[in-house]
Amino acid sequence: MSLSRLIDSLNEKIANTVSWALLAAVIICAGNAIVRYTFNYSSNAWLEIQWYLYGAMFLLAASYTLKRDEHVRIDVIVGRFSKRTQVWIDLFGYLLFLLPVCLLILVDAIPFAQVSIASQEMSSNAGGLIVWPAKLLVPIGFALLILQGISEIIKRIAFLAGKIDGHEFAKHQKTPQEEIEAIKQANKIA
């Protein structure tokens, strides 16, 4: 369980850090639109940096989404089963689908990124950015997803062995009071 908690902590920290990419993307998008319509000037670099930020958010936060059990699933069907059966379904899904697919993508993504880094690949668009940082996000994102998959497998096995009660991997449903408090906190910031 200590390895699982370490992986969970790593992915939480990365997700919290990369969440700032959304703010940066919004600011860049708004700034680009204002400059484009006010001064009739734009650059492909502004558009590309937005794509890079969105890519970073999706690739680097996917593992955190898995940790929070927020990925698309078939809860309508699986929700009818006992908790133990649901855990077995999760376990088989991670072992038979998640890990093999992520490993396959990772194996292909590493040389994909290495070639881009070695050649210092640039965008083919006029005024575009270097491409390799965006391509490097692919293997990093899938490596983090593999790690989180391992963490989830550890938690499911611990549950089946009776070592944990399942709250460590259960989807957290916010109560109405928690939602109200979150809105109050957001309003204090704004």
Side-chain angles (χ1 to χ4, degrees):
M1 285 304 298
S2 61
L3 175 61
S4 176
R5 287 188 186 101
L6 178 68
I7 293 169
D8 289 353
S9 176
L10 170 70
N11 281 319
E12 281 180 30
K13 288 176 184 166
I14 290 171
N16 287 334
T17 302
V18 80
S19 69
W20 287 99
L22 177 59
L23 177 61
V26 168
I27 290 169
I28 290 168
C29 181
N32 186 34
I34 290 168
V35 168
R36 185 173 62 241
Y37 291 114
T38 304
F39 302 108
N40 199 27
Y41 174 79
S42 186
S43 168
N44 285 328
W46 291 111
L47 297 173
E48 289 181 10
I49 193 68
Q50 291 172 60
W51 298 338
Y52 291 8
L53 290 168
Y54 290 133
M57 286 184 293
F58 286 106
L59 287 165
L60 301 180
S63 53
Y64 179 69
T65 305
L66 180 63
K67 177 201 175 295
R68 291 184 46 97
D69 198 25
E70 296 289 336
H71 281 281
V72 176
R73 28 184 326 136
I74 50 172
D75 287 340
V76 173
I77 297 168
V78 176
R80 299 171 191 242
F81 298 123
S82 70
K83 183 68 174 174
R84 193 166 184 77
T85 302
Q86 290 176 24
V87 168
W88 275 109
I89 291 169
D90 284 349
L91 194 56
F92 285 120
Y94 295 143
L95 291 170
L96 297 177
F97 298 106
L98 178 76
L99 289 184
V101 169
C102 287
L103 281 169
L104 181 65
I105 293 171
L106 181 63
V107 165
D108 283 344
I110 291 172
F112 173 73
Q114 285 175 328
V115 167
S116 185
I117 293 167
S119 67
Q120 294 294 299
E121 184 178 3
M122 294 290 296
S123 171
S124 60
N125 295 321
L129 301 174
I130 55 174
V131 175
W132 66 263
K135 288 187 175 183
L136 185 60
L137 290 172
V138 177
I140 292 171
F142 278 93
L144 292 171
L145 197 53
I146 289 168
L147 286 174
Q148 191 61 48
I150 291 167
S151 173
E152 297 306 312
I153 289 168
I154 291 168
K155 288 184 259 189
R156 293 337 186 259
I157 291 171
F159 173 81
L160 292 172
K163 297 184 189 240
I164 62 171
D165 64 5
H167 76 278
E168 294 195 38
F169 59 83
K171 184 183 287 189
H172 177 69
Q173 299 290 335
K174 288 188 177 182
T175 65
Q177 187 58 36
E178 288 174 324
E179 291 287 346
I180 291 168
E181 287 302 316
I183 292 168
K184 286 180 182 176
Q185 290 298 322
N187 286 332
K188 286 180 185 177
I189 294 172

